[in-house]
Amino acid sequence: MTVRAAPPPDCALCPRLVAYRATLRAARPDWHNAPVASFGPEDAGLLIVGLAPGRAGANRTGLPFTGDRAGDVLRAALLRHGLARRQDAARPSDGLELLDCRIANALRCVPPANRPLRSELVACRPFLAADLQVEPRPGVILALGRIAHEAIFRALRLPLRPFAHGRRDELPDGRLVFASYHTSRYNSSTGRLASAMFDDLIGEVARALRVWRSSRAVRSFR
């Protein structure tokens, strides 16, 4: 798997995040403790965008949405809807292979208390823009949480749209953006994001992806 433009391991764009990484590295030198690159095939038709690496999740493993409850919820839904499959080999991704799906974060480094500053999101925006715009562009985009939703539209230089779980917006170029509550432990444990709610939405996203792939195949045939 090749990697699109991503921050270097020693990225110094955000002093607060650099200091926090150094603190975590001193405490847990066996963790990744560096910017977390996007994961999944570069030509994926679906791009899933979260907020930021979890402190003991992706910041530990080096792969987005692995190693914590948020990743467990997301991966289980992807498996159920044919957007991922298990491999035999033991990997930091738990042997997960993404199928026509790529996962990224609006912020590539773990922020203190899971709360990024606006300036940090702005500094990281070019990396998200690369995932959104580098050809072949993903035809379906799923935002996990309000901040990720806003980050997508800002990276595309489009007016913001209201955030609501289950919202679906069509972009001027015909691509679709879906919105979901984040799969965080808080949202799942409080029932704000019930398992059935998220499963239904991922099913809708998977159907939209199949339609988008079919339309591309028809255009290619012509």
Side-chain angles (χ1 to χ4, degrees), residues 16 51 107 111-117 120:
R16 188 181 74 120
L51 170 59
L107 189 70
N114 202 35
R115 295 183 180 276
L117 301 179
E120 293 163 353

Side-chain angles (χ1 to χ4, degrees), residues 5-19 21 35 106-109 117-128:
D10 59 349
C11 181
L13 288 176
C14 306
R16 188 181 74 120
L17 302 186
V18 172
R21 290 201 318 259
L107 189 70
R108 305 302 164 103
C109 292
L117 301 179
R118 181 174 295 275
S119 60
E120 293 163 353
L121 290 166
V122 170
C124 229
R125 189 175 297 163
F127 307 117
L128 177 58

Side-chain angles (χ1 to χ4, degrees), residues 52-128:
R55 186 187 68 84
N59 179 64
R60 174 173 59 86
T61 66
L63 289 173
F65 284 89
T66 58
D68 56 17
R69 173 64 177 167
D72 292 343
V73 173
L74 176 60
R75 295 199 309 275
L78 296 179
L79 285 165
R80 283 194 297 270
H81 291 279
L83 296 169
R85 65 185 173 198
R86 293 285 186 192
Q87 297 176 326
D88 293 333
R91 301 183 177 188
S93 60
D94 296 329
L96 195 75
E97 179 186 4
L98 299 180
L99 303 175
D100 206 15
C101 173
R102 187 170 173 85
I103 303 176
N105 277 309
L107 189 70
R108 305 302 164 103
C109 292
V110 57
N114 202 35
R115 295 183 180 276
L117 301 179
R118 181 174 295 275
S119 60
E120 293 163 353
L121 290 166
V122 170
C124 229
R125 189 175 297 163
F127 307 117
L128 177 58

Side-chain angles (χ1 to χ4, degrees), residues 13-217:
L13 288 176
C14 306
R16 188 181 74 120
L17 302 186
V18 172
Y20 189 48
R21 290 201 318 259
T23 299
L24 292 173
R25 191 175 296 121
R28 297 303 304 258
D30 54 322
W31 288 9
H32 177 70
N33 293 320
V36 176
S38 304
F39 172 60
E42 285 218 330
D43 60 350
L46 169 63
L47 178 67
I48 299 174
V49 182
L51 170 59
R55 186 187 68 84
N59 179 64
R60 174 173 59 86
T61 66
L63 289 173
F65 284 89
T66 58
D68 56 17
R69 173 64 177 167
D72 292 343
V73 173
L74 176 60
R75 295 199 309 275
L78 296 179
L79 285 165
R80 283 194 297 270
H81 291 279
L83 296 169
R85 65 185 173 198
R86 293 285 186 192
Q87 297 176 326
D88 293 333
R91 301 183 177 188
S93 60
D94 296 329
L96 195 75
E97 179 186 4
L98 299 180
L99 303 175
D100 206 15
C101 173
R102 187 170 173 85
I103 303 176
N105 277 309
L107 189 70
R108 305 302 164 103
C109 292
V110 57
N114 202 35
R115 295 183 180 276
L117 301 179
R118 181 174 295 275
S119 60
E120 293 163 353
L121 290 166
V122 170
C124 229
R125 189 175 297 163
F127 307 117
L128 177 58
D131 278 315
L132 290 163
Q133 297 284 49
V134 174
E135 298 293 346
R137 297 180 180 182
V140 182
I141 304 159
L142 171 61
L144 299 179
R146 178 185 57 80
I147 294 177
H149 192 253
E150 290 183 359
I152 289 166
F153 284 94
R154 292 186 190 279
L156 292 172
R157 299 183 179 181
L158 294 172
L160 299 183
R161 310 287 178 89
F163 173 79
H165 179 83
R167 183 181 174 95
R168 167 176 169 158
D169 286 290
E170 184 172 345
L171 301 181
D173 60 6
R175 295 190 288 171
L176 296 176
V177 177
F178 288 84
S180 170
Y181 292 136
H182 197 280
T183 56
S184 66
R185 178 181 293 274
Y186 175 83
N187 283 344
S188 58
S189 63
T190 61
R192 187 185 193 196
L193 182 63
S195 178
M197 288 173 58
F198 190 62
D199 195 70
D200 288 346
L201 181 57
I202 293 297
E204 185 179 350
V205 168
R207 288 189 292 274
L209 178 60
R210 288 193 292 270
V211 170
W212 180 76
R213 278 295 181 199
S214 296
S215 66
R216 279 177 60 92

